[in-house]
Amino acid sequence: MSTQPEAPDFTSLLRPVVRESSVSEVAKRLLDHLSEGNLKPGTRLPAERQLADALGVARSSVRGALSALDVLGIIEIRPGSGSYVREGTSEFLPRAINWGLMLGQRRTQDLVEVRTFMEGMSARLAADRAGEEDIERLEQHLERMREAGTDVKAFIEADIAFHLETAHIARNTVLSDILHSIRALLQVWMERAGNIEGTVSGTLCEHRAVLDAIRAGDPEAADAAMAEHMRLASDRLRLSLRGDDEQDTAASGA
């Protein structure tokens, strides 16, 4: 029977994280060690509790950092088993470092600002270029969001699909690629914001307004509706980030 390689004395190499907002710092610290190339693909990382103890942070911070690395394809989280180094990690890591993918609050907010501008442009172009089949696909994504209900993961997937479809309808490949990258960076935080009360109902209404403006062929209204959606989504994101800070501060005894 084959066995997975264990991480070689991984936790002894880690130093405590001292910043209050530690999800980003934990992710960077783990990424530093993964990028050294000492861990073979398939290596199982230490348990969350071990990593939290070694770094001096709450387990929620470790969990958030591992989730970010999982989204980026650097590790794989297997429920009930643990976290494992993915195949091909050595080729991906330089790109991850150059992009600065491990986001703290400041960088997250900077990305939100860029996304707000580009999503508005995407909606404006879509309103000018959408055909009947395009509108139908947007309706399908909105219906998937509605059917997801309290399933946050399914709701976020349908939400992202709606925005990707809007970018596709805009018929601008550069804009579409940039928005796709930004959403990938923000996905972990978007999932957290999805748990805030009122997110599902609010997001559905905001997307409906965008869709109605695109259907009406009104670029100005589509831009305005998307800007309002981005403003409210940004507020929800800030609430989720603030919750992380408060949880880490309480866990550290501060």
Side-chain angles (χ1 to χ4, degrees), residues 26-251:
V26 171
K28 289 177 182 176
R29 195 69 55 81
L30 296 176
L31 186 58
D32 285 343
H33 288 292
L34 291 169
S35 63
E36 291 175 357
N38 297 325
L39 303 179
K40 297 179 180 179
T43 296
R44 183 164 66 88
L45 301 182
E48 286 181 6
R49 184 177 297 280
Q50 289 178 275
L51 292 172
D53 290 343
L55 292 165
V57 298
R59 287 183 65 180
S60 61
S61 295
V62 172
R63 190 175 302 115
L66 292 175
S67 294
L69 294 174
D70 183 39
V71 168
L72 299 174
I74 294 171
I75 66 170
E76 177 186 5
I77 297 177
R78 303 176 190 172
S81 177
S83 301
Y84 297 81
V85 179
R86 282 185 182 271
E87 298 281 349
T89 295
S90 59
E91 289 76 19
F92 185 85
L93 285 173
R95 298 205 308 274
I97 295 169
N98 289 337
W99 265 88
L101 298 183
M102 298 301 100
L103 306 176
Q105 285 197 41
R106 179 63 262 165
R107 187 166 291 177
T108 299
Q109 293 303 324
D110 288 346
L111 272 175
V112 168
E113 287 183 359
V114 173
R115 183 192 176 198
T116 297
F117 175 78
M118 292 191 169
E119 291 282 8
M121 183 185 299
S122 177
R124 176 182 288 272
L125 291 174
D128 190 50
R129 299 171 179 176
E132 291 183 8
E133 292 183 357
D134 297 320
I135 299 299
E136 184 178 341
R137 290 196 301 273
L138 286 176
E139 285 280 10
Q140 290 171 356
H141 295 312
L142 194 62
E143 183 59 28
R144 284 178 52 210
M145 291 172 64
R146 185 179 295 106
E147 292 174 351
T150 57
D151 185 339
V152 173
K153 183 176 180 180
F155 185 86
I156 293 297
E157 288 176 353
D159 184 338
I160 291 173
F162 181 96
H163 285 273
L164 290 176
E165 191 69 60
T166 302
H168 173 73
I169 296 169
R171 311 289 195 267
N172 186 304
T173 57
V174 174
L175 179 63
S176 180
D177 288 346
I178 293 173
L179 282 171
H180 190 282
S181 297
I182 291 174
R183 289 191 201 97
L185 305 188
L186 291 174
Q187 185 168 345
V188 171
W189 285 266
M190 289 167 64
E191 289 173 357
R192 293 181 187 181
N195 290 312
I196 293 175
E197 185 177 356
T199 292
V200 171
S201 59
T203 303
L204 278 170
C205 290
E206 294 153 26
H207 282 73
R208 169 55 64 185
V210 172
L211 175 54
D212 288 346
I214 292 175
R215 176 187 284 109
D218 188 336
E220 293 291 339
D223 192 351
M226 184 64 82
E228 178 66 2
H229 169 47
M230 289 292 99
R231 183 184 69 79
L232 295 171
S234 179
D235 288 344
R236 291 188 286 265
L237 179 60
R238 276 193 290 271
L239 283 175
S240 70
L241 291 170
R242 188 182 307 153
D244 283 341
D245 279 351
E246 292 172 354
Q247 189 173 19
D248 285 336
T249 299

